[in-house]
Amino acid sequence: MGVSFGEILWSFKKPRQQGSWIAFSVLWLCSIPLSVHAESAHAEEDIPLEARKVKDGTEVHAVTQKNEPGSFSQWVEGITVHGQVEGGIIANPARPEDGLNFGSLLTDHANQAQLNQMTLTIAKDLDPQLNKDYQLGFDIQLLYGSDARYFHLLGMDTNMITQRYQLIPSEAYLTGHLPWLTEGGVDVKAGIMTAIMGVEGLDPTTRPFYSLAYTSNYSVPFEHLGILTTFHVDETFDVVTGIDSGNQTTIGSGDNNGEPAGYFGVTLNNLAGGDLTIVQLSRIGPENPTRTFGPRANSAMRYWNDIDVTYKLSEEATLTGEVNYLHDEGLRADVYSFVGFMAYKLDPELTFNLRTELYRDNTGAFVSNFQTNTGYTRALRGISVPSVSAPPTTYGALTLGLTYKPDLGHFSDVFSLFEIRPEIRFDRSLNGTRPFNASRNAGQFTFGGDAVIGF
């Protein structure tokens, strides 16, 4: 008898194996041959002569300490501390009575400036030049702001702050490189991490617009507690797998059902002379709460599927297409969409961005707005909360914007980044429904933007 993918995932949640993720991390760390050397232990012959200079008749030796793979200095070198602040406003001339821009989460409040996120990140990244060696890194990021309302993990931080500006550990994971099987080896992450599916992520510097597409708001997961592996088969082909407790859940009372979920997919890099990249990711697992669906929530699967294609058309122009399909057995719902992006560099400091989207919410179960600061996370638990939704609707959206990223000059000693991103956006129902502006209109026009400062 064969073993199903769901049975494999379930094995990680059995009581006798609930500590398997921790055990995996401990075994992984113990398998790395750390060789710690104090500076005083280096013999003179271990310090190579890098250069020999003569000054005023005296020989001066410029020396460099070896940094052998596995040495203590290799593990502590490269630790960085980075801060970033993002704030913005989306204006809505229709001034909806409920104060909400329908179809948006992170930019849901109309005509109100807000601090979206203020982050502090301490990290040690893996070095791709050292793929033949064992490597260990980490990433710890705290996020404070209005975006935190939608990136909580149940059972961890949902009741820390209940105002609009909230605090979360958006990332807290160990990462390692294992030089196994192929020249590229295997990269592993374990801990709290933002979801990997989709084009537009939580970090504003990785996406072209302040507002998000419907697909990025409603058809991709946000946050995970779990393990993710990337197997570098060769320079072109990567295989991605992962297991986690579910979208924005933890374990025990922090899980809204009794089953885990997992990723599988592939990445094709450096195609068409390095100009083409294709990422295909699928995800399977139950995501609905037992509080609402009862025991059926543990067997009713949600299937997420996303394909992203990026092509560098020229030195100035880059095209990206995203195709997404989601099916939820518990909700008996289907959502499918296409998002197209174009970025055209007008000069070194200014880029024009375009986004167009066609999004179908087949039952009206996904596109909604929450009217309280804790409504989203309470809904994840299966608690009834005040929200605004729409009947089955086909949405069309067009967004135009600019990214202005000036040369910081002397200020680069203090700031690592400064960018301003104005945008205008047109949303419309294409099948006659009226979901926008407190259910008054078939269309919605918004404009605004954000600013991002890094240091």
Side-chain angles (χ1 to χ4, degrees), residues 30-349:
C30 291
S31 70
I32 300 175
L34 297 176
S35 175
V36 179
H37 299 281
E39 275 188 45
S40 59
H42 281 283
E44 186 175 347
E45 61 269 21
D46 291 331
I47 303 177
L49 182 65
E50 185 184 59
R52 185 181 296 247
K53 301 178 181 178
V54 177
K55 182 179 181 182
D56 298 330
T58 304
E59 272 193 344
V60 179
H61 299 270
V63 296
T64 306
Q65 181 176 310
K66 279 186 176 180
N67 185 13
E68 298 291 346
S71 67
F72 177 75
S73 59
Q74 177 183 328
W75 304 114
V76 298
E77 278 184 355
I79 294 178
T80 60
V81 180
H82 175 66
Q84 187 169 284
V85 179
E86 180 207 16
I89 183 171
I90 291 294
N92 186 334
R95 302 181 64 85
E97 288 85 351
D98 57 6
L100 298 177
N101 296 315
F102 184 76
S104 297
L105 294 179
L106 305 188
T107 54
D108 52 353
H109 285 273
N111 307 311
Q112 297 182 34
Q114 62 184 12
L115 171 67
N116 287 86
Q117 48 180 270
M118 182 167 57
T119 60
L120 177 65
T121 307
I122 304 173
K124 183 182 185 301
D125 296 330
L126 302 181
D127 186 347
Q129 302 301 318
L130 300 177
N131 274 350
K132 294 183 180 179
D133 305 322
Y134 287 92
Q135 295 186 65
L136 177 64
F138 66 90
D139 191 297
I140 300 172
Q141 182 180 86
L142 295 177
L143 184 152
Y144 174 78
S146 60
D147 289 358
R149 296 170 296 160
Y150 297 104
F151 280 80
H152 283 287
L153 287 172
L154 297 182
M156 179 170 292
D157 50 33
T158 49
N159 295 314
M160 187 183 302
I161 302 175
T162 58
Q163 304 305 310
R164 185 189 304 186
Y165 296 155
Q166 300 177 14
L167 178 67
I168 59 170
S170 49
E171 291 182 339
Y173 61 81
L174 290 173
T175 182
H177 178 75
L178 308 174
W180 295 349
L181 302 178
T182 69
E183 186 173 346
V186 183
D187 293 335
V188 183
K189 286 183 180 180
I192 298 170
M193 63 195 81
T194 52
I196 60 172
M197 182 178 284
V199 172
E200 299 175 312
L202 175 61
D203 183 351
T205 64
T206 64
R207 60 181 196 253
F209 296 98
Y210 178 37
S211 67
L212 297 178
Y214 291 91
T215 303
S216 305
N217 277 300
Y218 302 107
S219 292
V220 296
F222 281 0
E223 195 87 4
H224 300 304
L225 172 66
I227 299 174
L228 184 72
T229 64
T230 302
F231 176 40
H232 303 290
V233 178
D234 54 36
E235 292 184 355
T236 299
F237 188 49
D238 294 339
V239 176
V240 179
T241 61
I243 182 169
D244 55 69
S245 56
N247 179 40
Q248 298 181 255
T249 65
T250 54
I251 56 177
S253 61
D255 199 351
N256 58 4
N257 56 57
E259 295 277 2
Y263 282 102
F264 55 95
V266 298
T267 300
L268 301 176
N269 309 287
N270 302 311
L271 302 176
D275 293 331
L276 178 64
T277 301
I278 301 173
V279 179
Q280 180 277 319
L281 286 172
S282 293
R283 177 174 171 80
I284 180 174
E287 300 289 357
N288 295 306
T290 54
R291 183 191 294 261
T292 303
F293 289 80
R296 181 169 174 266
N298 292 320
S299 59
M301 295 292 175
R302 180 175 297 180
Y303 302 90
W304 325 59
N305 300 278
D306 192 86
I307 300 177
D308 307 328
V309 179
T310 301
Y311 181 66
K312 187 175 182 181
L313 191 63
S314 66
E315 288 299 320
E316 295 79 22
T318 301
L319 304 177
T320 301
E322 178 179 10
V323 178
N324 185 285
Y325 171 69
L326 184 154
H327 172 70
D328 191 292
E329 292 180 337
L331 296 171
R332 295 184 174 89
D334 295 278
V335 183
Y336 41 91
S337 62
F338 170 79
V339 195
F341 300 83
M342 183 187 75
Y344 190 88
K345 186 171 288 189
L346 300 172
D347 63 40
E349 297 183 345

Side-chain angles (χ1 to χ4, degrees), residues 344-352 401-406 420 422:
Y344 190 88
K345 186 171 288 189
L346 300 172
D347 63 40
E349 297 183 345
L350 189 64
T351 301
F352 168 75
L402 295 171
T403 299
Y404 174 57
K405 190 182 298 184
I420 299 175

Side-chain angles (χ1 to χ4, degrees), residues 380-424:
L380 284 176
R381 290 188 179 277
I383 301 172
S384 178
V385 296
S387 62
V388 180
S389 59
T393 299
T394 302
Y395 299 88
L398 174 67
T399 312
L400 307 174
L402 295 171
T403 299
Y404 174 57
K405 190 182 298 184
D407 183 354
L408 296 176
H410 296 298
F411 294 103
S412 61
D413 294 336
V414 179
F415 301 104
S416 61
L417 169 75
F418 175 69
E419 65 180 30
I420 299 175
R421 302 185 299 179
E423 69 171 62
I424 59 174

